[in-house]
């Protein structure tokens, strides 16, 4: 039997090679995975033209995945630096990279990225429209926007953020509600401006069936963008955000009817006590589609440390049902991140994802934690560095202030609790003073 998308195959009872790979990675029976893909509760974003991809699943019962944002901008046109960021992302095992390039002919960078990346690649066609089409925003037609979507699909992009939920009804609700931060989504703000300047409906909403047909042809997963996500704590869980979420639930079912895989995007900035309820509400309104969240950032006053505010929110979100975390770097709200910022953002997001997987009790989630405990109990430093997620950094810290006592660190020396207990249990004495 022929099929166009992973979802179509799953509905027909076909187990694809991508499903087999994902099931093995996730310690899940492949038939169970197929059923989840058929229902839309798991997405396997894998464009038919992305040949270097190592497929990953996102959704119910699977490990929490993370995404890294990078790309070429007008203020930073250094392709070599962006590819250094890609190398760091792949080194630390990120599952997805979003190319948010918005300057010049971005397809040169994107094609090279897709060719080399084992991680899935995402884009926001709206970002690229102005540079790709070389037109002012007001002069872009709905058909122009569709051309950019198809161009990205042909290049091998695995998932695309499409802000289809900010229709005229949602815009009216947003304007009526009033907000401290208004619209902070870049793609959402551009669509809002286009709609206001032209007087037309959101082209991605009006021509949604055409968008889905393009995505189905190449098996591109649609990531339904949250144009009205909150950009500060005060705007979280307001009518604009929830109203758009209701629209995204409707658009999710329309995509599934066309066998197009779906992810739904979520907040944003949000106080800790609101996160769990938002995750459950999204799953309810969007029919258990995979949920992709930015943060949430749990406070607004720590620029320079927003990788931490995001990791706190991300851990709570993923433990409460979110499936996919978009990393945030220390440079968030301040500037384009450099290579060091990218690494810090990845580590923070990986901590959040891993902590959530442990909390959710996923199979084998604690395996490495148990190995680390065993290595520490033995005071086996080499094994600790081997098990550590960033073993190089752990080794650098340890060796920067070497202990006088071999089987300890410079924090406790001979007073190391592990050393003391081991010696007593071995029938030895504990001597703390030099003779």
């Amino acid at each position: 039997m022929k099929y166009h998308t992973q979802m179509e195959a799953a509905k027909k009872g076909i187990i694809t090679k991508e499903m087999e790979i994902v099931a093995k990675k996730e310690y899940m029976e492949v038939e169970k995975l197929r059923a989840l893909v058929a229902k839309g509760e798991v997405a396997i974003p894998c464009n038919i033209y992305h040949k270097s991809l190592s497929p990953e699943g996102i959704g119910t019962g699977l490990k929490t995945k993370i995404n890294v944002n990078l790309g070429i901008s007008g203020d930073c046109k250094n392709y070599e630096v962006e590819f250094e960021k890609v190398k760091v992302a792949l080194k630390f095992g990120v599952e997805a990279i979003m190319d948010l390039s918005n300057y010049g002919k971005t397809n040169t960078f994107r094609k090279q990225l897709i060719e080399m990346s084992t991680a899935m690649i995402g884009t926001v066609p709206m970002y690229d429209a102005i540079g790709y089409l070389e037109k002012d925003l007001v002069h872009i037609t709905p058909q122009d926007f569709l051309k950019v979507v198809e161009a990205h699909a042909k290049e091998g992009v695995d998932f695309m953020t499409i802000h289809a939920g900010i229709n005229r009804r949602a815009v009216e609700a947003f304007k009526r509600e009033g907000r401290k931060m208004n619209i902070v989504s870049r793609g959402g703000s551009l669509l809002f401006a286009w709609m206001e300047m032209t007087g037309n409906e959101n082209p991605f909403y009006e021509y949604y069936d055409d968008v889905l047909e393009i995505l189905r042809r190449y098996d591109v997963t649609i990531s339904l963008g949250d144009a009205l996500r909150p950009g500060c704590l005060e705007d979280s869980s307001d009518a604009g955000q929830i109203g758009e979420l209701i629209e995204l639930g409707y658009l999710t079912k329309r995509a599934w009817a066309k066998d197009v895989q779906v992810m739904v995007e979520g907040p944003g900035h949000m106080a800790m006590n609101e996160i769990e309820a938002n995750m459950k509400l999204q799953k309810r309104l969007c029919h258990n589609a995979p949920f992709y969240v930015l943060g949430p950032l749990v406070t607004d006053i720590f620029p320079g440390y927003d990788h931490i505010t995001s990791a706190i929110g991300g851990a709570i979100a993923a433990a409460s049902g979110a499936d996919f975390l978009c990393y945030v770097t220390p440079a968030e709200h301040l500037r384009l991140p450099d290579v060091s910022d990218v690494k810090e953002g990845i580590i923070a997001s990986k901590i959040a994802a891993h902590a959530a997987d442990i909390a959710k009790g996923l199979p084998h989630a604690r395996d490495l934690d148990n190995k680390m405990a065993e290595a520490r109990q033995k005071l086996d430093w080499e094994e600790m560095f081997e098990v550590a997620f960033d073993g190089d950094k752990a080794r650098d810290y340890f060796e920067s202030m070497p202990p006088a006592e071999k089987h300890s660190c410079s924090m406790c020396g001979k007073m190391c609790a592990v050393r003391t207990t081991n010696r007593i249990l071995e029938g030895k004495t504990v001597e703390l003073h030099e003779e």
Side-chain angles (χ1 to χ4, degrees), residues 88 92 304 306-308 311 327-331 338-351 390 393 397:
V88 169
F92 286 105
D306 276 331
H307 58 312
I308 298 173
Y327 91 150
V328 170
T329 77
D338 62 19
V339 175
S340 175
D341 296 325
V342 167
K343 179 184 173 183
E344 291 299 311
I346 290 170
I347 299 293
S349 196
K350 280 285 189 180
I351 292 170
D390 185 0
K393 183 171 185 177
Y397 267 91

Side-chain angles (χ1 to χ4, degrees), residues 234-260:
E234 190 65 21
D235 292 340
S236 67
S237 306
D238 69 355
Q241 178 198 331
I242 304 304
E244 184 184 30
L245 190 59
I246 293 169
E247 295 290 344
L248 298 185
Y250 164 65
L251 295 171
T252 294
K253 295 194 88 170
R254 283 180 60 184
W256 285 345
K258 300 276 190 179
D259 297 329
V260 174

Side-chain angles (χ1 to χ4, degrees), residues 6 15 115 154 157 202 256 262 270 305 338 375 386 424 427:
Q6 294 291 319
I15 291 173
E115 186 177 333
K154 283 181 177 177
V157 169
N202 177 350
W256 285 345
V262 177
M270 182 170 288
Y305 300 92
D338 62 19
E386 181 67 28
I424 292 299

Side-chain angles (χ1 to χ4, degrees), residues 28 39 58 66-67 70 89 101 104 152 196 234 285 428:
M28 181 179 280
K39 288 194 295 182
I58 300 168
I66 77 161
N67 170 73
L70 45 79
S101 296
H152 284 210
E196 291 293 295
E234 190 65 21
L285 293 176
K428 299 176 183 177

Side-chain angles (χ1 to χ4, degrees), residues 168-418:
R168 297 213 65 81
R169 184 166 55 248
V171 166
E172 287 306 312
F174 154 70
K175 290 161 104 177
R176 184 173 60 247
E177 176 85 0
R179 276 183 161 188
K180 279 191 178 295
M181 284 289 294
N182 292 321
I183 297 175
V184 299
S185 159
R186 191 193 314 177
S189 68
L190 291 170
L191 272 172
F192 169 71
W194 185 90
M195 292 163 68
E196 291 293 295
M197 289 189 294
T198 65
N200 294 329
E201 179 59 279
N202 177 350
F204 295 115
Y205 180 80
E206 185 174 1
Y207 297 93
Y208 190 59
D209 285 337
D210 296 322
V211 172
L212 294 178
E213 184 52 42
I214 294 169
L215 301 183
R216 180 178 181 273
R217 204 175 305 141
Y218 303 91
D219 198 0
V220 177
T221 297
I222 188 169
S223 190
L224 289 167
D226 53 336
L228 295 177
R229 69 173 179 265
C232 64
L233 298 186
E234 190 65 21
D235 292 340
S236 67
S237 306
D238 69 355
Q241 178 198 331
I242 304 304
E244 184 184 30
L245 190 59
I246 293 169
E247 295 290 344
L248 298 185
Y250 164 65
L251 295 171
T252 294
K253 295 194 88 170
R254 283 180 60 184
W256 285 345
K258 300 276 190 179
D259 297 329
V260 174
Q261 300 185 97
V262 177
M263 299 187 292
V264 177
E265 299 186 11
H269 291 237
M270 182 170 288
M272 287 170 58
N273 59 303
E274 295 180 34
I275 295 173
E276 182 180 2
N278 266 265
M279 300 306 110
K280 292 185 178 350
L281 182 63
Q282 185 277 339
K283 287 288 185 173
R284 175 70 180 85
L285 293 176
C286 296
H287 321 291
N288 286 322
F291 198 20
Y292 175 22
V293 298
L294 175 67
L297 280 70
V298 295
T299 171
D300 296 334
I301 63 167
F302 286 89
Y305 300 92
D306 276 331
H307 58 312
I308 298 173
T309 66
S310 172
I312 293 168
I316 298 169
S320 304
D323 307 289
F324 191 21
L325 304 179
C326 186
Y327 91 150
V328 170
T329 77
E332 185 78 7
H333 301 112
L334 302 171
R335 63 164 168 78
L336 193 74
D338 62 19
V339 175
S340 175
D341 296 325
V342 167
K343 179 184 173 183
E344 291 299 311
I346 290 170
I347 299 293
S349 196
K350 280 285 189 180
I351 292 170
H354 183 63
D357 289 347
I358 291 171
K360 289 188 284 192
L362 291 183
H364 302 279
R366 291 190 185 213
D367 285 1
L368 288 177
D369 298 82
N370 290 337
K371 284 185 179 180
M372 179 62 83
E374 292 164 5
R376 284 175 171 160
Q377 191 276 328
K378 295 183 293 185
L379 292 168
D380 186 333
W381 294 101
E382 288 303 319
E383 188 172 344
M384 289 183 227
F385 302 146
E386 181 67 28
V387 174
F389 186 78
D390 185 0
D392 292 339
K393 183 171 185 177
R395 183 186 295 277
D396 288 344
Y397 267 91
F398 178 76
E399 294 179 350
S400 66
M401 193 179 292
E405 174 65 31
K406 179 182 177 184
H407 296 294
S408 67
C409 74
S410 55
M411 170 70 81
C412 299
K414 283 189 173 184
M415 293 179 68
C416 170
V418 176

Side-chain angles (χ1 to χ4, degrees), residues 1-61:
M1 281 190 285
K2 291 185 178 180
Y3 61 89
H4 285 87
T5 70
Q6 294 291 319
M7 174 171 257
E8 184 183 359
K11 287 178 179 177
K12 290 179 174 178
I14 300 169
I15 291 173
T16 66
K17 66 179 186 299
E18 290 82 10
M19 292 178 202
E20 291 176 343
I21 292 168
V22 170
K24 186 174 181 180
K25 288 181 178 180
E26 301 285 349
Y27 305 99
M28 181 179 280
E29 291 293 329
V30 71
E31 176 55 31
K32 180 180 179 181
L33 179 68
R34 183 205 61 76
L36 289 169
V37 174
K39 288 194 295 182
E41 292 190 22
V42 166
I44 305 176
C46 52
N47 188 306
I48 59 174
Y49 291 136
H50 188 175
K51 303 303 184 184
S52 60
L53 177 70
S54 178
E56 296 285 353
I58 300 168
T60 301

